[in-house]
């Protein structure tokens, strides 16, 4: 059993890892291509979120595994880095996705996180982004410059 101090350090470390992943969004599209991309990954705007449908729930027999289904109608791919879950007790849980959840345009993808018990979730927020050129306002596809 962890002490309260160890648990606090664990939560802080998880939050730092999640935020580090969110701030490292300007990586090139493909680390294998050897060429620099003009696209940068940016968080989704509220207008872009209106083109994304998210379902959340638990599979029968797995009450501690929260599942997400993300459907995107954005003009380019999107990537989700993690989720922040607010529990009915008032506590918050930050979980990163490793690997990130990559959702191509017009596709549906699923991801799950362990440690969120059915009946204890009040709300959740996914941390997702898409790729844009610096002057663009629409998500694009860095694989098709």
């Amino acid at each position: 059993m962890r002490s309260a101090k160890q648990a606090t350090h664990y939560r802080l470390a998880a939050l730092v890892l999640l935020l580090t992943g969110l701030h490292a969004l300007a990586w090139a599209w493909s680390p294998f291509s050897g060429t620099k991309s003009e696209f940068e990954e940016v968080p989704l705007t509220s207008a872009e979120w209106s083109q994304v449908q998210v379902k959340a729930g638990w599979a029968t027999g797995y009450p501690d595994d929260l599942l997400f289904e993300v459907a995107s109608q954005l003009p380019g791919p999107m990537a989700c880095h993690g989720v922040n879950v607010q529990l009915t007790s008032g506590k918050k849980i930050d979980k990163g996705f490793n690997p990130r959840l990559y959702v191509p345009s017009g596709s549906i993808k699923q991801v799950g996180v362990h440690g969120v018990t059915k009946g204890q979730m009040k709300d959740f927020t996914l941390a997702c982004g898409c790729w844009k050129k610096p002057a663009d306002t629409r998500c694009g596809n860095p694989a098709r410059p």
Side-chain angles (χ1 to χ4, degrees):
M1 190 76 165
R2 289 189 190 120
S3 70
K5 187 175 181 178
Q6 287 173 322
T8 300
H9 287 298
Y10 179 78
R11 280 189 227 111
L12 182 59
L15 180 60
V16 167
L17 287 173
L18 177 63
L19 293 176
T20 300
L22 294 175
H23 283 78
L25 298 177
W27 291 351
W29 169 247
S30 173
F32 306 109
S33 69
T35 60
K36 185 172 173 118
S37 172
E38 345 175 13
F39 285 88
E40 293 182 0
E41 189 176 352
V42 296
L44 295 180
T45 65
S46 52
E48 290 161 347
W49 272 113
S50 69
Q51 298 175 62
V52 176
Q53 295 77 43
V54 178
K55 296 178 185 176
W58 291 263
T60 303
Y62 297 91
D64 295 324
D65 296 327
L66 176 59
L67 306 175
F68 295 96
E69 181 177 272
V70 181
S72 173
Q73 294 303 316
L74 293 168
M78 64 180 279
C80 296
H81 304 271
V83 63
N84 176 281
V85 179
Q86 183 170 352
L87 302 178
T88 55
S89 66
K91 292 182 181 180
K92 291 184 180 182
I93 298 174
D94 292 308
K95 296 278 188 173
F97 301 146
N98 189 15
R100 298 187 301 174
L101 178 66
Y102 175 80
V103 185
S105 180
S107 295
I108 299 172
K109 296 289 181 161
Q110 297 87 23
V111 67
V113 293
H114 183 72
V116 181
T117 304
K118 186 175 183 176
Q120 294 184 352
M121 182 176 76
K122 180 179 179 181
D123 199 7
F124 67 89
T125 305
L126 289 176
C128 302
C130 69
W131 287 268
K132 296 179 183 177
K133 290 183 180 180
D136 287 350
T137 57
R138 289 179 38 129
C139 297
N141 188 344
R144 295 186 206 134

